[in-house]
Amino acid sequence: MNIKLTQTLPKTHTQKILKKEAKSKDAACLVVLIDDKKNILAESVLSDYQTRIEQLIEVSHFTGKACETVADYALAGDKKTTKENPVQLLLVGVGNVDKLRHSVLEKIANTIYKSTQKRVNSITVALGDSLEENQFSQFALSLLAASYRFDKYKSEQQTPVLTDIYLLAEPSLKDSLDFAQAVFTGQSLTRDVANEPGNICFPAYMAEQAQELANTYPDLLKVTVLGEDEMSALGMNCFLSVAQGSTKEGKLVLMEYRGKSNFSVNADADTSKATTNSAKVAGGLKALADKLPTKAASKKAAKNAEQNSEDNAQSAHDDAPIVLVGKGVTFDSGGISIKPGAAMDEMKFDMGGSAAVLGTLKALCEARLPINVVGALACAENMPSGEATRPGDIIKAMNGKSVEILNTDAEGRLVLCDTLCYVQKYYQPKAIIDVATLTGACVVALGHVRSAVFSNDEDVLFDLENASNLSGDLIWHMPMDDEYQTQIDSPIADIQNIGGKGAGAVTAACFLSRFIEEGQAWAHLDIAGTAWISGQDKAATGRPVPLFMQYLKNSANMA
């Protein structure tokens, strides 16, 4: 779908053009927005159409309530009576203009697309200055998202007639439109990989998608893939306990986006030992140079060295990446604690967190934001077999903590905890945000409107909530009091992987928090209720790519 800003209204079509077979349908439609008081939005630019619009409102008894539509198919342009065929009009109600929040804008955008996709080649939506910048960005992204289709496996595919969208709005909004296009590109990739069936999308497939991105954007993106041998050498046994039941090898995919600087990666002897087993990983981790002086020659030299050390530390902190960690369970059968058969096919969406991180990295490359980001995709398939982990097994995580696995269907936190240990050890992140379709309890708590956010850092939480408000990709702050931690204490290990029936989303976050080092800023997003739509029209939503991109854009602007 092509979308552009314009400063002109669509042109009318002559008889000569209409006689051509390729133009048997009207080529253009002007979309006019009307509020619930019958006021015309962008009225100042629609003076040539005002009489037609007012007549159409009157004869159709148009009220302007949100998503109400009426079309004027330009029948007055009969070729026997006039030399021109006037452009079609589509009136769309927006309701109360003071309540144009994201959900309303999204519905209006979907209404516009569905009303025009099969009958016109292009539409011009008259906006003028009626939307604020963030509303405009949300509306543009929603129009683009409405055009998304995943029908590659259908033998008959219907291609929409509509190919071009023009937004009649202020020229100053071009940057916002460009950003919305970048977000849409990434969000579409997220939806694509999440919609793929489990026999196509497994850990190696996710690694291939990441590598394709690196090949497309070699100046911005570097990808390193760790297989099971490398993870075993690193002691990532929680991760491996999930992957071992499947014939598909688990993969930890590391995507390094260097939009600001060539940040350092701390590779110590343990990592060097682990990486010798794989050509893909060899050379992928760089040593962090020791910039501190070993000996002070004088007080003045010591003072200079101390100042240099502080400057270097500040510079390293400024360049330190934000790390996004995505749960990538490409199919979740539940393992030995197998799930009920009903709707188990939807467990292909259990890699929605890693799909969102993958899509965010693509959107970053499109937007070219000046910020350093690492995306970590923790990819495994959770299957029951003779090699699968059993309930009651005890394993050790990368940081040495022992974990008693009481339920193999609480596997997402196991691939995440080792990945969290890894990224802290080798990237020294400015902040970590993990994202996962983690708990059914989150769906019970928040439904399908807001994603849950848990955090140990007020600044990260504030920035995420601000990004949520601006993007319309909504979150809700959930508690993580110390009192919940006792629910995951094990009598025979350091920690157990479930905490009982109560507060399931909270205890899952508490489990992850046990693997966050002191002083490390961290947030956990549970997207179990927002990553996909269930039922007959099951499909991935592409959330929270808009949230992440707004958060990263804001972070880049503050740097």
Side-chain angles (χ1 to χ4, degrees):
M1 176 62 66
N2 300 314
I3 189 167
K4 297 179 181 178
L5 281 181
T6 185
Q7 306 304 311
T8 60
L9 294 168
K11 296 180 180 179
T12 57
H13 311 307
T14 64
Q15 283 187 32
K16 184 177 180 181
I17 292 176
L18 291 173
K19 286 181 179 178
K20 291 183 179 180
E21 183 177 352
K23 297 291 183 180
S24 58
K25 292 180 180 287
D26 291 336
C29 177
L30 175 61
V31 179
V32 180
L33 305 181
I34 312 290
D35 69 14
D36 57 1
K37 296 180 180 178
K38 300 184 181 180
N39 296 318
I40 303 170
L41 276 63
E43 183 175 8
S44 60
V45 298
L46 294 169
S47 56
D48 292 342
Y49 290 87
Q50 186 156 352
T51 300
R52 276 182 66 194
I53 293 169
E54 291 175 349
Q55 288 178 343
L56 187 54
I57 290 173
E58 183 178 357
V59 300
S60 65
H61 304 289
F62 191 78
T63 65
K65 68 179 181 180
C67 300
E68 180 185 7
T69 63
V70 62
D72 170 2
Y73 293 96
L75 298 179
D78 190 299
K79 63 183 180 181
K80 294 181 180 179
T81 59
T82 182
K83 293 183 178 181
E84 286 191 337
N85 180 43
V87 172
Q88 291 187 27
L89 290 181
L90 175 68
L91 305 189
V92 180
V94 300
N96 188 335
V97 291
D98 295 328
K99 297 182 179 180
L100 282 180
R101 57 187 183 276
H102 174 263
S103 59
V104 179
L105 291 168
E106 184 178 40
K107 290 175 182 177
I108 292 168
N110 287 335
T111 298
I112 292 171
Y113 183 80
K114 290 178 181 179
S115 299
T116 57
Q117 62 168 324
K118 295 181 179 179
R119 59 186 181 82
V120 292
N121 300 117
S122 69
I123 61 173
T124 299
V125 185
L127 297 173
D129 59 358
S130 59
L131 298 181
E132 298 176 359
E133 184 176 356
N134 66 301
Q135 290 177 316
F136 173 83
S137 184
Q138 292 173 19
F139 179 70
L141 178 58
S142 295
L143 276 174
L144 288 166
S147 69
Y148 174 84
R149 303 189 321 281
F150 187 82
D151 55 6
K152 61 187 288 187
Y153 295 111
K154 288 183 175 289
S155 55
E156 295 183 6
Q157 300 174 357
Q158 295 183 348
T159 303
V161 176
L162 181 62
T163 56
D164 297 289
I165 296 175
Y166 299 96
L167 301 179
L168 183 57
E170 299 296 318
S172 59
L173 293 171
K174 185 179 186 306
D175 288 345
S176 294
L177 182 60
D178 291 343
F179 183 73
Q181 287 180 291
V183 175
F184 171 67
T185 302
Q187 193 172 16
S188 295
L189 176 60
T190 293
R191 296 169 80 175
D192 282 344
V193 296
N195 284 328
E196 289 285 0
N199 62 317
I200 300 296
C201 179
F202 43 88
Y205 175 87
M206 294 296 291
E208 290 168 3
Q209 297 303 302
Q211 191 59 60
E212 285 183 17
L213 279 188
N215 295 338
T216 304
Y217 308 97
D219 60 323
L220 292 172
L221 195 62
K222 176 186 175 183
V223 170
T224 303
V225 181
L226 273 64
E228 291 184 1
D229 287 343
E230 291 75 46
M231 287 188 279
S232 179
L234 289 163
M236 302 177 72
N237 298 309
C238 284
F239 193 122
L240 295 173
S241 73
V242 178
Q244 70 188 46
S246 173
T247 58
K248 305 295 187 183
E249 184 182 10
K251 304 284 185 183
L252 175 57
V253 184
L254 303 164
M255 308 175 68
E256 299 172 3
Y257 172 83
R258 290 176 164 87
K260 181 180 180 183
S261 62
N262 190 25
F263 59 85
S264 298
V265 180
N266 180 25
D268 63 10
D270 291 339
T271 302
S272 298
K273 179 181 177 181
T275 57
T276 56
N277 295 320
S278 173
K280 289 183 178 179
V281 182
L285 300 175
K286 298 179 180 179
L288 180 63
D290 185 359
K291 298 179 180 179
L292 296 177
T294 56
K295 183 178 180 180
S298 65
K299 290 184 177 180
K300 181 177 180 181
K303 184 176 181 180
N304 291 336
E306 183 179 354
Q307 183 61 48
N308 290 336
S309 175
E310 291 176 357
D311 292 343
N312 289 335
Q314 182 61 45
S315 177
H317 177 73
D318 290 342
D319 289 347
I322 292 172
V323 176
L324 306 178
V325 176
K327 172 189 171 184
V329 177
T330 56
F331 187 82
D332 181 19
S333 69
I336 298 299
S337 308
I338 198 163
K339 292 178 179 290
M344 192 194 284
D345 61 294
E346 293 185 15
M347 287 302 95
K348 70 177 186 176
F349 295 119
D350 208 29
M351 40 68 72
S354 62
V357 173
L358 181 71
T360 299
L361 268 292
K362 179 166 185 176
L364 271 174
C365 291
E366 286 287 310
R368 305 186 76 88
L369 293 182
I371 190 171
N372 292 334
V373 177
V374 172
L377 316 182
C379 300
E381 186 179 57
N382 187 26
M383 298 291 282
S385 74
E387 299 295 325
T389 298
R390 296 163 291 269
D393 285 359
I394 295 178
I395 52 175
K396 277 195 174 182
M398 183 179 173
N399 65 353
K401 289 186 178 181
S402 59
V403 178
E404 182 185 13
I405 300 177
L406 298 183
N407 189 318
T408 63
D409 193 25
E411 84 300 330
R413 65 202 69 183
L414 298 176
V415 298
L416 288 174
C417 70
D418 272 339
T419 306
L420 290 171
C421 292
Y422 182 94
V423 298
Q424 288 172 99
K425 186 172 185 178
Y426 298 116
Y427 289 107
Q428 295 83 48
K430 186 179 297 184
I432 301 173
I433 304 172
D434 75 72
V435 55
T437 52
L438 207 61
T439 65
C442 183
V443 184
V444 174
L446 296 178
H448 305 284
V449 177
R450 291 178 182 263
S451 303
V453 61
F454 304 80
S455 183
N456 67 354
D457 187 273
E458 290 185 358
D459 291 335
V460 172
L461 178 61
F462 175 82
D463 291 341
L464 283 171
E465 289 180 328
N466 184 43
S468 169
N469 292 331
L470 291 174
S471 67
D473 191 349
L474 301 178
I475 61 175
W476 190 258
H477 181 208
M478 299 283 281
M480 199 171 55
D481 302 274
D482 289 341
E483 286 76 7
Y484 290 109
Q485 293 281 355
T486 58
Q487 291 182 230
I488 54 172
D489 287 339
S490 167
I492 57 174
D494 294 326
I495 185 174
Q496 61 191 37
N497 77 325
I498 57 171
K501 293 183 178 180
V506 179
T507 55
C510 288
F511 180 93
L512 295 177
S513 74
R514 298 274 187 107
F515 298 86
I516 300 299
E517 297 172 3
E518 187 72 25
Q520 174 64 63
W522 162 76
H524 160 61
L525 277 177
D526 193 331
I527 58 169
T530 57
W532 80 92
I533 300 167
S534 296
Q536 181 65 32
D537 298 321
K538 56 180 178 286
T541 63
R543 293 177 64 181
V545 174
L547 170 74
F548 278 161
M549 284 300 292
Q550 187 66 56
Y551 168 79
L552 294 172
K553 180 183 178 182
N554 294 347
S555 299
N557 290 338
M558 290 188 295

